[in-house]
């Protein structure tokens, strides 16, 4: 990947652009907190060629949600489970909406 390719990918939510130190600074947390999220399998950072953890913006949003829950007194394991369930619910709602739209487009009178 060239430098131009890397620069163009910075708008990609899934591009692992942030080092562990930078991610921890951005979230106002410790690197240990990010490691704990990885151990709980909430986020799985990609590894650089040198083996260093790299985080995407999407992963940072998940980590920020976990930090919010932990700051409110939720144990980290429970916070991770809550976030996983929230994500599953959001996906199920998205799929249901797609099915609903598909059903309405094939039978518009049924929706009325």
């Amino acid at each position: 990947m060239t430098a131009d390719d890397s620069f163009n990918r910075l708008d990609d939510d899934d591009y692992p652009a942030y080092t562990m130190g930078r991610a921890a600074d951005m979230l106002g947390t410790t690197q240990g907190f990010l490691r704990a999220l990885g151990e709980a399998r909430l986020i799985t950072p990609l590894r650089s060629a040198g083996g260093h953890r790299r985080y995407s913006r999407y992963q940072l949003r998940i980590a920020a949600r976990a930090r919010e829950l932990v700051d409110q007194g939720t144990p980290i394991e429970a916070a991770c489970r809550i976030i996983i369930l929230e994500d599953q619910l959001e996906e199920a709602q998205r799929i249901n909406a797609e099915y609903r739209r598909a059903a309405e487009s094939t039978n518009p009178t049924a929706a009325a």
Side-chain angles (χ1 to χ4, degrees):
M1 181 179 295
T2 67
D4 286 339
D5 291 337
S6 295
F7 182 74
N8 291 334
R9 303 240 8 234
L10 290 177
D11 288 336
D12 181 353
D13 262 1
D14 295 318
Y15 181 67
Y18 304 98
T19 63
M20 176 181 271
R22 179 70 179 128
D25 287 345
M26 290 171 68
L27 295 170
T29 189
T30 65
Q31 293 181 17
F33 179 77
L34 291 173
R35 279 190 214 93
L37 296 180
E39 290 169 9
R41 296 189 176 147
L42 180 63
I43 55 176
T44 304
L46 292 174
R47 297 284 181 148
S48 69
H52 300 282
R53 291 173 179 89
R54 305 285 294 193
Y55 296 89
S56 69
R57 286 188 299 182
Y58 174 74
Q59 290 172 324
L60 294 183
R61 283 195 301 273
I62 292 171
R65 174 70 176 129
R67 175 161 186 226
E68 179 182 310
L69 290 169
V70 169
D71 286 351
Q72 293 172 1
T74 306
I76 195 164
E77 297 82 11
C80 292
R81 185 67 183 140
I82 288 167
I83 294 166
I84 290 166
L85 291 170
E86 288 174 341
D87 189 51
Q88 290 172 344
L89 175 60
E90 184 179 317
E91 178 68 8
Q93 289 172 332
R94 185 191 62 75
I95 291 168
N96 285 340
E98 286 178 14
Y99 285 145
R100 199 172 301 114
R101 282 191 299 274
E104 290 171 357
S105 68
T106 58
N107 190 3
T109 57

